[in-house]
Amino acid sequence: MSLSALRVLSILGLFGLLVGCGRDVPPPAAGLLQHVPSDTPYVFVTSQPLPDTLRGRLGDHYAAQLAAQRAAIVALRQQMDVTDDAPSVARQAAQAFDVLDALFVEFEGRDTAAAVRELGIEPVPRLVFYGIGLLPAMRMEIADAARLDEMLDRVERRAGLPVEKSLSDGQAYRRFDLGELDAVLAVTASHLIAGLLPDAYFDRDLPLLLGQQSPERSLAAAGDVEILIERHGFTGYGEGFLKLDGLLATMLGRGAGRNAELMQGLWSASPPVSRGCIQMMQDLVAGMPRMVIGVTAAGERRLAARAIWEGMPAVTSYLQKLASPVPGLGEPYDGLISLGLGLNLPQLRNAIEALLDTLIAAGSSCEWVNPASLQAVMPQLNLALGPMTAGIKGFNLRVDDLTIDPQTLQPSKLQAGLLAAVDDPRGIFALGAMLNPALAALEVPNDGSVVDLPQDLGLNKPTPPLKVAMKDRALVLLAGGTPDALARSLLDAGLTTPPPLFAMDYGIFRLVERFGGLMAVTADRLSQQGEQEMAQQLLDQLAGFRVQAQLFERLRVSVYASAEGLVMDQVMELR
């Protein structure tokens, strides 16, 4: 797609980020999804209205984010030294930033949902984002049609954006020429409609985009979204899918219907890819052909979402073997931050070897594969994930408290514990004793008792006070003034089902509260050293963090494998 599309898609993408639910209206099967072709390769739709209090808080949050964006856009635009003889890509990128700047001018000072609605925009709308074939389209509820039209007029004038205004069966629309593709914006009494259409089929597809013509079979009639909600436990507050196999087939010139027409129209020649490479990519994607996402819970103080990379049974069965249980990993945590991994390294090595074997086998028919280079990776893989590391199962790090001295940028207070899940904790400690004689004289019982480590460990840099404990198949290291109780809580923690491959839990508000001042001091130092640009970037980041901290208290993320595929759960606790 031409980069000049960014001039308009920047606006469309911004609206698309405002995902939520708006006023209480009929369910999507009777509304939004009736405009979506059943063969769309991707869709995201907000189906049910969020609780009123939550919707109000999210609206103010989105408004505050929008109001703070222009400074960053201006800074990025100023970094672009674009002249008349600059490459076309650079000029088009600069034009995209000019459009964004013209748009964000509208949001300056509008840091509440009510203020954004004065522009005709509903900050937390019901919307559907989908594909008419491969090309994106969107239908989004608005607050006021006349005010939104006026805002779009101002953005066009401010950005110097060329636009053709016309009518289709009485419906006004704006058409932006992007070469072989055209962008369309239309404002109805209740919705903003946006999308990309190919020049060759513009007249045919415009009524479909504008809702003046129904698809041969709609997603509402197919019932795919309702099946998605039931299968994955979604709530209707927002869900969608991305068909990777369909997108890949289209990009490789093997699409059907509108996708085939689009590829033939934009790229008359077939993609320069051999049959062997095409077959290899299709075989790889066939194992995990679709991604889905949806909201699983929504309340006044909590939002939860789930993303699933769906897989075939043979693939998901193997994915579930990759996890290794680690005590406490994935459990709710109320400290500053926790994170960890749980991986069965021998199974991971086997999975990587199987993938490399598949690629090597394709090497004879796919020009992208260099079998000799891949075969050279095998010995390194066996060394990194061989017998020496087979007993390492994962770790769980918890940081209860941390304070950084703004003058020295060194920790002045630290309370943290690291649990290593290993088959032989005593053997790991003995290995450390071989490397550092100061540890050799220590007796560490395998009953969870906490033992102080020597202060002089022979390290080049000073270290905080350290303690160690071990129990069963776990080794714990405590740092700073950490109470012994943290070691016991780590060692005695239960195992989460299903076991996470990765988990993280952090207090957004506490982190900003603790380190916001440090970031401001660092920015001031940078400014004094003549690094004004870097200082401003740091301050802009801090402003963004503080906006997040006004709404969110904690964020919990867990990645694990299930019979459905590779799953990521995310829970956001609101203040």
Side-chain angles (χ1 to χ4, degrees):
M1 184 184 301
S2 170
L3 282 181
S4 61
L6 289 173
R7 290 182 295 171
V8 177
L9 289 183
S10 298
I11 301 177
L12 309 188
L14 176 67
F15 288 146
L17 290 175
L18 301 178
V19 173
C21 299
R23 296 172 295 277
D24 194 358
V25 294
L32 294 172
L33 290 182
Q34 68 180 354
H35 303 289
V36 181
S38 61
D39 62 353
T40 179
Y42 53 88
V43 69
F44 186 86
V45 61
T46 57
S47 310
Q48 307 256 1
L50 288 170
D52 290 342
T53 302
L54 177 59
R55 189 164 68 246
R57 295 189 66 189
L58 287 176
D60 288 339
H61 175 70
Y62 291 146
Q65 286 187 311
L66 290 171
Q69 293 304 310
R70 191 187 176 213
I73 296 298
V74 170
L76 288 171
R77 178 64 179 88
Q78 290 175 346
Q79 294 175 18
M80 307 177 74
D81 185 15
V82 179
T83 60
D84 291 339
D85 59 349
S88 174
V89 170
R91 293 197 305 273
Q92 291 171 348
Q95 290 171 347
F97 278 102
D98 289 340
V99 173
L100 283 174
D101 182 38
L103 174 64
F104 283 117
V105 167
E106 297 289 333
F107 295 100
E108 283 190 310
R110 298 181 181 273
D111 56 0
T112 66
V116 171
R117 289 190 183 99
E118 293 175 355
L119 298 174
I121 297 172
E122 174 56 49
V124 192
R126 288 184 72 250
L127 63 80
V128 61
F129 180 80
Y130 61 101
I132 298 179
L134 192 66
L135 296 179
M138 184 184 68
R139 178 176 291 260
M140 182 184 80
E141 289 182 340
I142 59 176
D144 187 289
R147 291 184 176 184
L148 179 56
D149 257 327
E150 292 170 358
M151 188 200 79
L152 293 176
D153 287 340
R154 293 194 298 271
V155 171
E156 290 169 9
R157 290 194 299 268
R158 196 178 291 122
L161 200 62
V163 58
E164 173 190 334
K165 295 183 180 180
S166 189
L167 293 174
S168 172
D169 196 18
Q171 172 61 55
Y173 68 90
R174 304 162 191 255
R175 181 176 182 177
F176 306 86
D177 183 7
L178 306 177
E180 294 176 308
L181 297 174
D182 289 338
V184 176
L185 281 176
V187 178
T188 73
S190 57
H191 291 85
L192 171 69
I193 300 170
L196 288 178
L197 298 176
D199 276 352
Y201 303 102
F202 186 90
D203 292 336
R204 184 196 69 181
D205 290 348
L206 179 62
L208 180 62
L209 173 65
L210 297 180
Q212 298 168 336
Q213 173 186 319
S214 298
E216 292 182 7
R217 188 167 187 248
S218 73
L219 204 57
D224 291 0
V225 171
E226 286 76 8
I227 294 172
L228 192 73
I229 291 173
E230 182 177 356
R231 178 179 178 182
H232 294 296
F234 297 150
T235 58
Y237 291 131
E239 53 279 328
F241 60 75
L242 173 66
K243 296 178 180 177
L244 299 174
D245 51 355
L247 288 174
L248 177 63
T250 297
M251 298 305 296
L252 294 176
R254 296 193 170 189
R258 278 188 168 83
N259 287 334
E261 295 171 349
L262 175 67
M263 295 298 290
Q264 292 169 3
L266 297 182
W267 298 280
S268 55
S270 299
V273 182
S274 67
R275 290 183 178 272
C277 289
I278 290 176
Q279 188 61 53
M280 180 189 70
M281 288 188 292
Q282 289 183 324
D283 289 345
L284 291 174
V285 172
M288 301 187 74
R290 190 174 76 157
M291 291 182 174
V292 302
I293 188 171
V295 176
T296 54
E300 292 186 2
R301 298 291 301 276
R302 184 173 178 267
L303 269 175
R306 176 172 295 157
I308 306 165
W309 191 353
E310 295 178 331
M312 304 303 290
V315 175
T316 60
S317 176
Y318 204 95
L319 285 174
Q320 292 176 80
K321 297 177 182 178
L322 295 180
S324 184
V326 175
L329 184 61
E331 287 186 347
Y333 173 67
D334 293 325
L336 200 61
I337 184 171
S338 73
L339 61 91
L341 294 171
L343 288 171
N344 186 317
L345 296 183
Q347 291 287 359
L348 178 62
R349 180 198 61 218
N350 294 341
I352 297 175
E353 282 185 347
L355 176 61
L356 291 176
D357 287 340
T358 299
L359 295 176
I360 290 171
S364 60
S365 57
C366 177
E367 65 276 13
W368 295 347
V369 178
N370 185 331
S373 297
L374 295 179
Q375 288 172 344
V377 173
M378 292 291 196
Q380 303 173 28
L381 179 66
N382 291 328
L383 179 63
L385 301 177
M388 289 289 292
T389 58
I392 301 173
K393 304 302 182 183
F395 72 90
N396 185 13
L397 171 66
R398 290 182 176 179
V399 181
D400 285 352
D401 201 2
L402 175 62
T403 302
I404 304 293
D405 187 319
Q407 301 302 319
T408 63
L409 297 182
Q410 296 295 319
S412 59
K413 181 180 180 181
L414 174 63
Q415 292 184 354
L418 174 67
L419 178 142
V422 293
D423 283 344
D424 184 11
R426 189 167 297 282
I428 295 292
F429 190 79
L431 180 62
M434 292 175 60
L435 300 175
N436 192 322
L439 301 177
L442 285 181
E443 291 290 338
V444 183
N446 197 324
D447 62 0
S449 300
V450 178
V451 177
D452 291 328
L453 292 181
Q455 292 187 0
D456 184 11
L457 293 176
L459 302 177
N460 294 329
K461 294 183 179 181
T463 60
L466 299 174
K467 303 177 184 180
V468 67
M470 64 178 68
K471 183 179 179 181
D472 298 330
R473 295 187 175 186
L475 179 71
V476 167
L477 181 67
L478 302 181
T482 306
D484 295 354
L486 178 57
R488 290 191 291 271
S489 69
L490 284 166
L491 291 168
D492 296 339
L495 301 177
T496 304
T497 303
L501 296 162
F502 169 79
M504 180 170 59
D505 188 333
Y506 60 96
I508 300 174
F509 178 77
R510 286 186 61 185
L511 285 169
V512 173
E513 186 181 48
R514 182 60 54 87
F515 300 114
L518 178 64
M519 292 180 67
V521 169
T522 303
D524 184 60
R525 286 184 180 177
L526 289 171
S527 181
Q528 292 178 12
Q529 296 169 3
E531 300 285 350
Q532 280 80 11
E533 184 176 320
M534 187 178 298
Q536 188 57 51
Q537 290 177 357
L538 190 59
L539 289 175
D540 291 341
Q541 290 177 353
L542 176 58
F545 292 151
R546 284 176 169 160
V547 169
Q548 296 290 332
Q550 290 175 4
L551 179 65
F552 298 108
E553 184 73 41
R554 296 198 69 83
L555 176 65
R556 295 187 171 98
V557 177
S558 180
V559 178
Y560 58 92
S562 75
E564 298 290 347
L566 191 62
V567 184
M568 182 177 74
D569 281 343
Q570 181 172 285
V571 177
M572 293 155 281
E573 292 185 0
L574 277 59
R575 295 189 59 205

